[in-house]
Amino acid sequence: MALEPVILNDGNKIPPIAYGTGSKMKFHDITQYIEQAIEVGFSHIDTAVFYQTEKYVGRAIKESGLARSELFVTTKYFQGVSVEKSVRKSLTNLGLQYLDLYLIHQPRVILNLVKTWNEFEKVQQDGLAKSIGVSNLVNVEQLEHLIKVSKVRPAVNQILLHPYNYHEMKPILDACAKYDIVVEAYSSLSPITTYPGGPVDSPLKAAAQRIGATPTQVIFMWVRAKGAVIITTSTTKAHMEEYLAIANLPALTEEEVASIDAAGAEGPPSDFVSRLCGNKMTLAVVFITMLLVYRCFGLGRMGY
Ligand SMILES: NC(=O)c1ccc[n+]([C@@H]2O[C@H](COP(=O)([O-])OP(=O)(O)OC[C@H]3O[C@@H](n4cnc5c(N)ncnc54)[C@H](OP(=O)(O)O)[C@@H]3O)[C@@H](O)[C@H]2O)c1
């Protein structure tokens, strides 16, 4: 059984789980992993100019021998060159005539977001991308301004989303729901990969036991419960199969989703470094304390 596709606001369909070629995969020849992912059953592949993996995606697609319509390919524009030039280069790298989805990777590095978006609208009009969207656009006012001044609304917003940042992301999630923009969640396995041993582990384990799943699968079911598309990755066949097997699992109950939300709101585990880095206030207090110690004890005169 495969997961039902999600319908975008432009009428196109998107497979709800994607194989990503960024994060630890970027800047590497990962052709073999992409080939494996396609073989295992991923039909949605996520790449970006910034990852420098487009040509490996292109190679794996060619090797797969699949018809173009059987794959959904996303890439992302970064900055510097014109959108038109960049999208044509991406298509050449990928060996494709069109993209299924083209995203602005990082709005914060784009000098004029509205102008760039207008160029995206042209890319869609010209048939070079079926759907267009944004990524990392987490400022609600910025999103609303873009919608107000544009002809085409973004179909997708790809953002960092996991149980520990869900509350922080709630305003942008609500805005995306309001404007019928599909959220794509990346790094949603953070409770396992980055913050193991935190409050979310317990509700994940309980739900996993009830539905006969792994905590990884429960996180992905949580992402689906939030209506978001999963953007993940793996270098192992076993994990790839584990991810896709969520298609055969029952949905989480409202109570299970609520208990993951509540545990996530408690924040990640009390690892000193992650708390220090994640909390600007603590960082400021530590910095001021160090400054005072430095001044009081005259460490600056010791010749270091
Ligand atoms: N738009 C953006 O700015 C942006 C930013 C970041 C990422 N992305 C996209 O999202 C994709 C996925 O990002 P992500 O890698 O952060 O996603 P993720 O789904 O949170 O994590 C995937 C990683 O989890 C590991 N993993 C799976 N099960 C595990 C387990 N039980 N224990 C420990 N590790 C486990 C996998 O390692 P194995 O290889 O061992 O399976 C893999 O490296 C990227 O490739 C990229 O396409 C987009």
Side-chain angles (χ1 to χ4, degrees):
M1 198 166 73
L3 288 160
E4 280 295 302
V6 174
I7 312 283
L8 300 176
N9 61 21
D10 57 16
N12 293 323
K13 290 178 181 171
I14 183 168
I17 182 163
Y19 183 79
T21 63
S23 49
K24 72 176 186 184
M25 318 285 256
K26 60 180 180 281
F27 315 141
H28 295 106
D29 181 346
I30 49 157
T31 313
Q32 55 165 324
Y33 301 124
I34 308 163
E35 282 174 356
Q36 176 94 84
I38 294 174
E39 209 175 291
V40 164
F42 278 90
S43 59
H44 178 173
I45 304 185
D46 182 89
T47 181
V49 169
F50 181 72
Y51 304 159
Q52 297 174 26
T53 48
E54 289 178 330
K55 63 180 177 216
Y56 308 121
V57 173
R59 211 179 279 168
I61 290 175
K62 199 169 169 201
E63 277 300 308
S64 76
L66 289 174
R68 178 66 186 87
S69 58
E70 290 181 85
L71 290 169
F72 186 102
V73 181
T74 301
T75 194
K76 312 184 195 87
Y77 170 79
F78 199 59
Q79 59 148 342
V81 286
S82 77
V83 172
E84 159 102 31
K85 205 168 166 187
S86 191
V87 73
R88 291 198 183 275
K89 178 93 191 306
S90 291
L91 287 168
T92 304
N93 286 341
L94 291 160
L96 300 177
Q97 301 293 314
Y98 68 90
L99 301 167
D100 293 283
L101 178 62
Y102 195 39
L103 305 178
I104 297 180
H105 200 155
Q106 280 290 1
R108 71 187 157 83
V109 303
I110 300 285
L111 284 179
N112 186 334
L113 184 60
V114 173
K115 184 171 166 283
T116 302
W117 184 250
N118 294 155
E119 293 176 47
F120 264 61
E121 292 174 325
K122 172 90 171 35
V123 161
Q124 188 180 35
Q125 257 171 29
D126 293 346
L128 301 177
K130 292 201 166 184
S131 299
I132 53 174
V134 290
S135 176
N136 299 305
L137 213 175
V138 293
N139 180 313
V140 173
E141 279 172 25
Q142 202 181 11
L143 177 71
E144 288 187 328
H145 177 70
L146 187 66
I147 291 170
K148 199 171 154 195
V149 299
S150 310
K151 285 197 275 308
V152 179
R153 200 183 291 179
V156 157
N157 189 6
Q158 185 178 118
I159 60 170
L160 173 69
L161 181 65
H162 54 76
Y164 289 121
N165 81 343
Y166 171 67
H167 283 76
E168 193 190 324
M169 290 295 151
K170 193 76 175 59
I172 194 70
L173 291 171
D174 289 346
C176 287
K178 179 176 169 190
Y179 296 108
D180 195 16
I181 296 168
V182 168
V183 168
E184 292 189 332
Y186 69 77
S187 302
S188 40
L189 294 184
S190 295
I192 293 171
T193 56
T194 315
Y195 311 112
V200 160
D201 287 13
S202 166
L204 287 184
K205 199 172 157 197
Q209 265 167 6
R210 184 189 68 82
I211 61 173
T214 63
T216 297
Q217 291 172 323
V218 174
I219 294 183
F220 287 156
M221 297 301 283
W222 175 85
V223 172
R224 292 300 300 123
K226 298 298 175 191
V229 166
I230 302 155
I231 312 290
T232 185
T233 196
S234 178
T235 50
T236 71
K237 188 178 179 199
H239 280 160
M240 293 176 194
E241 288 173 340
E242 178 187 5
Y243 299 170
L244 293 180
I246 61 165
N248 304 314
L249 293 173
L252 299 181
T253 63
E254 276 179 27
E255 292 72 23
E256 284 165 340
V257 172
S259 67
I260 295 169
D261 292 352
E266 286 178 42
S270 59
D271 173 292
F272 177 71
V273 176
S274 72
R275 276 206 182 267
L276 187 65
C277 298
N279 186 325
K280 285 183 190 140
M281 183 65 89
T282 316
L283 203 59
V285 169
V286 169
F287 178 72
I288 290 164
T289 310
M290 282 171 69
L291 204 66
L292 287 173
V293 168
Y294 181 85
R295 291 192 71 125
C296 289
F297 295 99
L299 297 179
R301 292 191 293 273
M302 291 171 74
Y304 284 99

